[in-house]
Structures are given as structure tokens and as C-alpha cells.
Amino acid sequence: MNNHFNIRPAKPDEAGLVLEFINTLAEYEKCAAEVVADEATLCHSLFVEHSAEVVFAEEDGVVIGFALFFHNFSTFVGRKGLYLEDLFILPEKRGRGYGKTLLKYLANLAVERHCGRMEWICLDWNKPALQVYRGIGAIPMDEWTVQRLDEAALIQFANS
């Protein structure tokens, strides 16, 4: 790994850069049409409401990846957890250990914050990521299926 690799928190004036990485990730995951976030909404959510946090991965001072995460809560563990919503390293920078280093950074943060666990989801077809996750000791929760109400369904159900 490059000796000039750094991980740092995103700053409020970087909401546009966060959005760029979200869009790049969405393209990689073949779901770019699903991104409706804009810079102002992200800035408010991340830096005013503090709904989630973002860290950037840098190589030689250039941002090459990001992770967006927030705290959830486990009733079984009785403590908060760290939920990793997105982790993305630019394709041309992969294979250098940056993603694993970013995961380790987040694991240390979770330990420092007394989290009981760290969780995330991964697309079944993303074999390189799954290989990294197995390598660090992550286990799949095969018997669990993610359920989602999108905004329209959420509003419809809330008003029914």
C-alpha cells in the first residue's frame, strides 16, 4: 500500500464530492437511476442533522474513495452498532489494500465508540468485495432478507 494513504472525515464544503462518489458507486452497482440525493440535501443531512458520517480515503492528497456510515441499535446486544451504508474505492485504485484499510479504520472507530457490532450489505455479484469481507472474518447473514419501503410506499403505508 502507498505510504501516502490517509483517511479523514469529510468537511461541509465537500458535500458535492460526497455526491460524486455516491453517483460513481451507483453506476458501479448498476442503479444510477435510483440516486435522487442532491448536494444541499446531503449537506444538511450529514453536517447539520448529523444523520450519518463520511470519511474519505486519500492517496497523495487526492480522494480515491469514501465510506458513509451511521449508528443503528441492536436490541439483542443492547448497544449501538456501526452500520456501513457505502464503501467505495475507485476501480483503478483497487487491489492495493485501501478498502480493507478503510474497513479497519471503521472497525477501530466502532470499538472506540463501544459498538456491539458492525454491519453492511453487499450485492451478491460483487465477488471481489465478498472475498475481502470473508478475509476479514465477516459472516453472511443468509437467513435474513433486507426489506424496504421506498419513499412512495412509505408515504402510502403511513397514510393508509
Side-chain angles (χ1 to χ4, degrees):
M1 185 163 50
N2 188 307
N3 290 334
H4 298 103
F5 181 76
N6 182 50
I7 298 170
R8 65 165 179 84
K11 297 175 267 191
D13 64 350
E14 295 177 309
L17 184 56
V18 173
L19 183 57
E20 284 180 38
F21 271 94
I22 290 169
N23 283 316
T24 304
L25 169 64
E27 288 174 26
Y28 176 76
E29 292 183 342
K30 302 171 180 68
C31 57
E34 295 180 33
V35 177
V36 297
D38 59 43
E39 188 174 338
T41 302
L42 281 174
C43 188
H44 185 78
S45 295
L46 296 172
F47 303 108
V48 176
E49 291 181 344
H50 303 285
S51 300
E53 298 175 62
V54 173
V55 292
F56 284 126
E58 296 178 322
E59 180 187 67
D60 297 322
V62 177
V63 177
I64 59 151
F66 86 119
L68 188 148
F69 59 97
F70 55 90
H71 291 289
N72 57 9
F73 189 85
S74 168
T75 55
F76 291 4
V77 177
R79 296 191 326 225
K80 66 184 171 184
L82 190 146
Y83 186 84
L84 175 59
E85 178 68 21
D86 291 325
L87 184 144
F88 183 77
I89 301 293
L90 293 173
E92 64 271 20
K93 299 296 182 178
R94 294 182 189 156
R96 301 177 190 188
Y98 294 152
K100 186 174 179 180
T101 301
L102 198 47
L103 283 167
K104 191 169 197 165
Y105 174 91
L106 294 171
N108 278 297
L109 190 63
V111 169
E112 288 172 17
R113 294 180 181 185
H114 306 287
C115 295
R117 56 172 68 149
M118 182 169 133
E119 297 177 312
W120 61 95
I121 59 173
C122 182
L123 292 166
D124 291 338
W125 58 259
N126 194 344
K127 302 302 181 199
L130 290 169
Q131 186 176 0
V132 169
Y133 301 152
R134 292 304 153 271
I136 66 169
I139 55 171
M141 304 295 292
D142 293 332
E143 55 286 342
W144 296 82
T145 302
V146 175
Q147 306 295 310
R148 174 182 294 163
L149 288 173
D150 65 14
E151 186 176 17
L154 184 63
I155 292 168
Q156 181 180 1
F157 179 62
N159 294 322
S160 65

